[in-house]
Amino acid sequence: QVQLVESGGGTVQAGGSLTLSCLASGYNYSSYCMGWYRQAPGKEREGVATIDSDGRTAYADSVKGRFRISQDKQENILYLQMNNLKLEDTALYYCAVDQPPVCALFRLMVFPHKYSSQGTQVTVSS
């Protein structure tokens, strides 16, 4: 069973930076994708970024040029470097891991409601 543990959230002023981490375990996919999505109160779930086992990445338009997704394959850790944070980035951030064909959805920033984790809160203040 896949287990996902996010960390690194916090409160930061607008324009600041944070790096989120996600420790993933319990999967053994030869081909996979990992990604970050977020949800703010009263808003729809929003895909943020994804990376696959070949290192290909994709980002939501709202974070392009500000966020960077990366992975440590040896340690099974997914990262999200977030720079120039804006008030609208405030949300609970979650990570996910899956395999094809779901990876095609990840690249469209669509994350199915099938993953269970605690998430990590990011709050951007003015």
Side-chain angles (χ1 to χ4, degrees), residues 105-122:
L105 293 177
F106 278 26
R107 292 193 66 81
L108 295 173
M109 295 299 122
V110 175
F111 287 74
H113 290 256
K114 58 184 284 192
Y115 312 107
S116 176
S117 61
Q118 294 296 314
T120 186
Q121 177 67 41
V122 172

Side-chain angles (χ1 to χ4, degrees), residues 18-48:
L18 278 176
T19 299
L20 306 183
S21 301
C22 169
L23 179 62
S25 61
Y27 69 100
N28 187 22
Y29 308 147
S30 58
S31 178
Y32 64 85
C33 51
M34 302 183 78
W36 291 94
Y37 61 98
R38 64 190 182 186
Q39 187 148 23
K43 293 188 177 181
E44 294 289 323
R45 170 180 297 197
E46 179 186 19
V48 175

Side-chain angles (χ1 to χ4, degrees), residues 34-83:
M34 302 183 78
W36 291 94
Y37 61 98
R38 64 190 182 186
Q39 187 148 23
K43 293 188 177 181
E44 294 289 323
R45 170 180 297 197
E46 179 186 19
V48 175
T50 184
I51 186 168
D52 66 17
S53 46
D54 293 324
R56 292 174 297 185
T57 59
Y59 297 89
D61 288 343
S62 59
V63 307
K64 278 181 183 176
R66 300 188 297 121
F67 290 11
R68 180 177 178 272
I69 190 171
S70 61
Q71 60 180 327
D72 182 333
K73 290 186 176 182
Q74 295 294 327
E75 300 294 332
N76 287 339
I77 300 176
L78 179 70
Y79 297 101
L80 185 68
Q81 172 70 41
M82 306 185 295
N83 299 317

